[in-house]
């Protein structure tokens, strides 16, 4: 088992280059080649790690990021609070998706000739959305800190 | 749709490989697991079973 993370702390901006080896298949034959490219990152905390690419190879490199995976093309280490916030964000979105699924289910019940069940499920959806709104407010307060 | 917990070989707390798993990919004899924070763990082996309602997956490590 390999964990593709090894981060080092610090604070500086820098540019770096790294070399990839790619294997390609063209018209039935396979070949590989290497290329390198240089780039720099312009955000907050630098670290070094090796990680697995979609192409199935690994490499080491350093960069700095804001600790937010969406802003960074490689995975990062995060504080427990960042992880909890990310989990909360996921749950709020997840609950919203479930609320929509339940509303769709209610419509199916209505079409099936079950108006009382429709009303009850829609009432449950409303309650569910109220709870999720409360979670959303908590998430917003966490993001402000 | 829901996040899962991945276990290695057996479903017991000591065998938890990763929680809050968002993606699992099987490639070249390896199972590559990604969590909510985009961390990845790679196990040489196979996907034994996925219990999506209960939110857990068991990966069999190659011997």
């Amino acid at each position: 088992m390999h964990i593709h993370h090894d981060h080092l702390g610090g604070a500086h901006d820098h540019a770096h280059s790294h070399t990839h080896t790619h294997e390609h298949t063209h018209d039935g034959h396979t070949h590989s080649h290497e290329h390198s490219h240089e780039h720099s990152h312009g955000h907050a905390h630098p670290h070094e790690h090796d990680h697995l690419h979609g192409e199935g190879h690994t490499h080491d490199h350093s960069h700095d990021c804001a600790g937010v995976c969406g802003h960074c093309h490689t995975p990062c280490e995060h504080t427990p609070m960042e992880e909890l916030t990310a989990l909360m964000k996921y749950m709020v979105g997840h609950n919203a998706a479930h609320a929509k699924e339940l509303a769709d289910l209610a419509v199916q019940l209505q079409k099936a000739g079950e108006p009382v069940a429709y009303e009850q499920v829609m009432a449950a959806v409303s309650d569910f959305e109220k709870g999720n709104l409360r979670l959303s407010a908590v998430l917003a307060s966490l993001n402000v800190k | 749709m829901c996040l899962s917990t991945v276990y290695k070989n057996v479903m017991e707390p000591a065998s938890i490989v990763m929680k809050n798993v968002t993606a699992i990919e099987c490639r070249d004899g390896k199972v590559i697991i990604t969590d909510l924070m985009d961390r990845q763990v790679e196990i040489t082996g196979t996907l034994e079973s996925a219990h999506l309602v209960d939110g857990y997956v068991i990966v069999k490590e190659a011997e």
Side-chain angles (χ1 to χ4, degrees):
Chain A
M1 180 170 67
H2 307 285
I3 299 177
H4 295 285
H5 281 269
D6 184 14
H7 294 253
L8 301 173
H12 60 273
D13 291 335
H14 61 273
H16 69 269
S17 65
H18 51 87
T19 303
H20 296 268
T21 300
H22 289 279
E23 190 171 85
H24 302 274
T25 301
H26 295 287
D27 301 321
H29 70 276
T30 302
H31 70 270
S32 64
H33 63 89
E34 284 191 352
H35 73 266
S36 65
H37 54 90
E38 187 167 318
H39 61 260
S40 61
H41 299 268
H43 30 219
H45 66 181
H47 50 261
E48 296 180 353
H49 59 185
D50 63 283
H51 62 93
L52 190 67
H53 276 257
E55 295 88 353
H57 64 273
T58 61
H59 68 216
D60 295 326
H61 74 203
S62 305
H63 67 161
D64 38 20
C65 71
V68 178
C69 288
H71 296 170
C72 181
H73 71 286
T74 54
C76 306
E77 285 294 342
H78 301 277
T79 66
M81 197 60 217
E82 286 170 334
E83 296 207 23
L84 287 172
T85 304
L87 195 54
M88 277 285 291
K89 186 177 179 183
Y90 168 82
M91 291 302 294
V92 168
H94 191 65
N95 287 344
H98 277 315
K100 185 185 180 306
E101 287 174 341
L102 285 167
D104 291 344
L105 189 153
V107 170
Q108 301 265 1
L109 287 167
Q110 188 179 40
K111 287 178 181 172
E114 296 288 348
V116 176
Y118 166 78
E119 293 293 339
Q120 289 298 309
V121 174
M122 288 308 289
V125 168
S126 177
D127 291 343
F128 194 37
E129 287 176 336
K130 282 177 194 164
N132 207 34
L133 200 59
R134 187 182 289 262
L135 292 176
S136 194
V138 173
L139 178 62
S141 71
L142 291 174
N143 283 331
V144 166
K145 289 178 184 174
Chain B
M1 174 175 204
C2 298
L3 300 174
S4 291
T5 298
V6 172
Y7 296 85
K8 187 166 64 178
N9 298 328
V10 291
M11 188 190 167
E12 58 184 27
S15 300
I16 291 175
V17 175
M18 187 171 257
K19 292 181 176 178
N20 299 323
V21 170
T22 58
I24 299 172
E25 188 179 354
C26 298
R27 192 190 328 133
D28 301 329
K30 290 172 180 162
V31 180
I32 300 155
I33 307 157
T34 307
D35 77 358
L36 190 63
M37 306 307 288
D38 281 342
R39 287 174 294 222
Q40 286 191 328
V41 170
E42 178 185 302
I43 298 174
T44 301
T46 55
L47 184 64
E48 185 169 271
S49 59
H51 305 261
L52 302 181
V53 171
D54 296 323
Y56 73 93
V57 172
I58 296 175
V59 172
K60 183 79 173 176
E61 188 174 40
E63 294 178 2

